[in-house]
Amino acid sequence: MTPVLSLRDAALTLGGRTLWSGLDLEVQPGEFVAVLGANGSGKTSLLKAVLGQHRLTAGTVQFEGHPVHHGDRRIGYIPQHRGADDGVALRGRDLVALGIDGHRLGPGLPTRARRQRVDALLDEVGATRYARVPVAALSGGEHQRLRVGQALAGEPRLLLCDEPLASLDLRAQRAISELIDRRRRARGIAVLFVTHDVNPVLDAVDRVLYLAGGRFRVGAPDEVLRSEVLSELYDSPVDVVRTRGRIIIAGAPDQSHHHHRHGGL
């Protein structure tokens, strides 16, 4: 089976600093890989390399056996929720529609097929009831549902998620996590999920890619999220504690990246 995503001996240097090097990673259809690490470890930059926005310093990155290129609509992208400007006139359905024809010049044509496709996507992500509500009036969880719909519009084979749970409350985190997991299982979509906290998606995760200090570890959560592994990776004592089904990582530089950031949305 051809991997959906393949990085071979990949390295990325930005601003004179090597974020990671020698990275080998293959992601299979339907696989859920969580990308963890401290701020500045190169998690988002990895997604940008896969999107073709950053050129690797060394090595290769391929999507379904071919070099990646910017603008491939078979690679879906869900950004971190940052809120919407009150002056933005977009409605919920308009945001989803951008995933259908937002890559084209000029506004999309209001054809029946386009409307039906938007309606189907809204229904798929449970956002029909606020399809006509201004985006600026939506909660963080509602906004992210629309972003998932937008990302699914291109029938992606790979879904890149850049901290889509940040600034969401626990209920919204759970809803968005479950939505992404259901869609990837139903469609066999590979998922690369950048997160500050693995706990909301722990039940869905097949493997973890942990980035730290220019180095990395890849493996099942129980293989990577261990005190001895992370202590070696950080070259500093790190404690991994499992309690009530949650994983708590203590002692790692920039420990804040292992805690939720609630925004009450």
Side-chain angles (χ1 to χ4, degrees):
M1 183 179 297
T2 301
V4 175
L5 176 66
S6 177
L7 290 106
R8 301 286 177 85
D9 199 25
L12 184 64
T13 299
L14 294 176
R17 185 169 71 92
T18 298
L19 298 177
W20 28 264
S21 63
L23 177 57
D24 292 318
L25 177 68
E26 288 190 349
V27 183
Q28 301 295 334
E31 188 176 18
F32 194 119
V33 178
V35 183
L36 308 175
N39 289 329
S41 59
K43 303 187 299 297
T44 294
S45 296
L46 172 63
L47 299 190
K48 289 184 177 181
V50 176
L51 288 168
Q53 296 176 4
H54 283 336
R55 184 183 297 273
L56 292 178
T57 308
T60 61
V61 54
Q62 293 189 329
F63 171 69
E64 295 194 326
H66 302 282
V68 299
H69 62 86
H70 183 56
D72 192 328
R73 300 191 69 241
R74 296 172 300 163
I75 301 178
Y77 173 67
I78 303 174
Q80 181 178 153
H81 172 64
R82 302 184 187 277
D85 190 330
D86 289 342
V88 176
L90 285 179
R91 302 166 301 166
R93 64 181 300 110
D94 299 327
L95 190 62
V96 171
L98 288 174
I100 298 175
D101 51 24
H103 60 291
R104 300 173 184 165
L105 294 177
L109 297 176
T111 64
R112 176 180 295 181
R114 180 177 182 269
R115 287 195 302 271
Q116 291 176 339
R117 177 67 178 141
V118 171
D119 288 341
L121 287 164
L122 288 165
D123 180 65
E124 185 173 353
V125 299
T128 301
R129 68 184 183 278
Y130 43 87
R132 299 185 181 279
V133 177
V135 172
L138 298 176
S139 71
E142 290 169 341
H143 189 273
Q144 288 302 75
R145 281 184 182 272
L146 295 170
R147 286 294 188 184
V148 175
Q150 184 186 69
L152 294 176
E155 299 289 343
R157 300 289 299 135
L158 173 65
L159 196 58
L160 305 180
C161 307
D162 190 5
E163 297 187 34
L165 309 182
S167 301
L168 302 185
D169 60 29
L170 287 174
R171 181 179 178 182
Q173 287 181 357
R174 187 179 305 111
I176 297 304
S177 299
E178 292 175 353
L179 173 59
I180 292 172
D181 189 35
R182 285 197 304 272
R183 296 277 62 81
R184 68 104 180 187
R185 291 178 185 275
R187 298 188 177 193
I189 302 171
V191 175
L192 205 58
F193 194 102
V194 169
T195 179
H196 274 65
D197 184 353
V198 72
N199 287 296
V201 295
L202 192 56
D203 290 342
V205 172
D206 296 307
R207 286 190 296 156
V208 166
L209 167 61
Y210 202 109
L211 303 173
R215 299 186 293 173
F216 66 92
R217 292 290 186 276
V218 182
D222 287 343
E223 297 172 344
V224 175
L225 301 179
R226 297 162 49 195
S227 299
E228 59 270 30
V229 173
L230 296 189
S231 295
E232 179 185 353
L233 192 60
Y234 279 108
D235 195 23
S236 177
V238 175
D239 292 321
V240 178
V241 180
R242 286 171 169 78
T243 177
R244 298 184 179 182
R246 291 178 58 81
I247 294 177
I248 299 172
I249 300 174
D254 187 19
Q255 291 183 42
S256 63
H257 72 279
H258 298 291
H259 296 275
H260 290 294
R261 293 180 293 172
H262 303 312
L265 297 173

